[in-house]
Amino acid sequence: MQKTPMTGNGLLLLEDELRKLKSEERPAVIRAIAEARSHGDLSENAEYHAARERQSFIEGRILELEELVSTAEVIEPSSLSGSQVKFGATVCLVDEDTDKEITYQIVGLHEADIKQSKISISSPLAKSLIGKQEGDTVSVPAPGGDRTYEILSVKFI
């Protein structure tokens, strides 16, 4: 079984989602199905079909989360050190075209969230940053053409 790298915080988020699905969402959808069944003819009962569809989604997500949690390999960024970019690093970059500074943390695939400045280790930007260090320049393929970034700092927080 292949291990899934993630931060401790990422694992906690997945475990919280799994707990919520099992303790709140699953019982709620079971009640919704029972309620819809009590309305009679199931062949034309939109509430019943919607509840069954929701149940299918919930059960699939529970299976997916259980697999992720059981194969998680927790890597704590604060326990890492060095000057090279690797999993867990928080990297401050400057876009050489716009001079705009941006900071990203490189995290596991299932905890990536661009709104929180967390990018997946398998993203094009992260792939181009891995192994580089402060002062290096990287070129990243983008839909509008390659983007060039200079690495300003590498931290393990």
Side-chain angles (χ1 to χ4, degrees):
M1 199 175 302
Q2 187 175 358
K3 292 289 187 181
T4 306
M6 65 180 64
T7 64
N9 199 34
L11 179 60
L12 286 176
L13 291 172
L14 292 180
E15 288 173 336
D16 286 347
E17 181 184 354
L18 180 58
R19 200 170 9 266
K20 183 179 179 192
L21 286 172
K22 284 181 166 182
S23 67
E24 296 173 27
E25 301 286 331
R26 183 188 267 166
V29 80
I30 289 170
R31 285 191 301 275
I33 290 171
E35 169 80 21
R37 272 195 185 143
S38 71
H39 295 155
D41 185 11
L42 299 181
S43 65
E44 295 183 18
N45 188 329
E47 288 175 11
Y48 174 77
H49 292 289
R52 291 290 298 191
E53 196 170 295
R54 177 78 179 137
Q55 182 185 34
S56 177
F57 170 80
I58 289 170
E59 295 303 326
R61 184 66 178 154
I62 287 172
L63 288 174
E64 179 183 12
L65 289 171
E66 286 176 338
E67 174 75 15
L68 289 171
V69 167
S70 71
T71 61
E73 178 184 1
V74 176
I75 300 170
E76 281 302 333
S78 60
S79 69
L80 302 173
S81 63
S83 60
Q84 287 191 325
V85 178
K86 54 189 157 202
F87 181 91
T90 298
V91 185
C92 182
L93 308 166
V94 63
D95 184 321
E96 293 194 337
D97 294 333
T98 65
D99 286 333
K100 181 181 175 192
E101 285 188 22
I102 48 177
T103 302
Y104 293 115
Q105 182 182 20
I106 300 173
V107 297
L109 175 65
H110 301 283
E111 59 186 310
D113 184 349
I114 197 69
K115 291 177 186 168
Q116 293 183 9
S117 298
K118 295 181 178 188
I119 60 171
S120 166
I121 185 100
S122 61
S123 70
L125 177 57
K127 285 180 179 179
S128 66
L129 290 170
I130 298 295
K132 303 292 191 284
Q133 48 194 341
E134 205 172 292
D136 287 353
T137 300
V138 295
S139 181
V140 183
D146 287 2
R147 304 294 303 238
T148 305
Y149 299 95
E150 180 184 345
I151 301 172
L152 298 178
S153 68
V154 178
K155 296 178 184 162
F156 297 94
I157 304 169

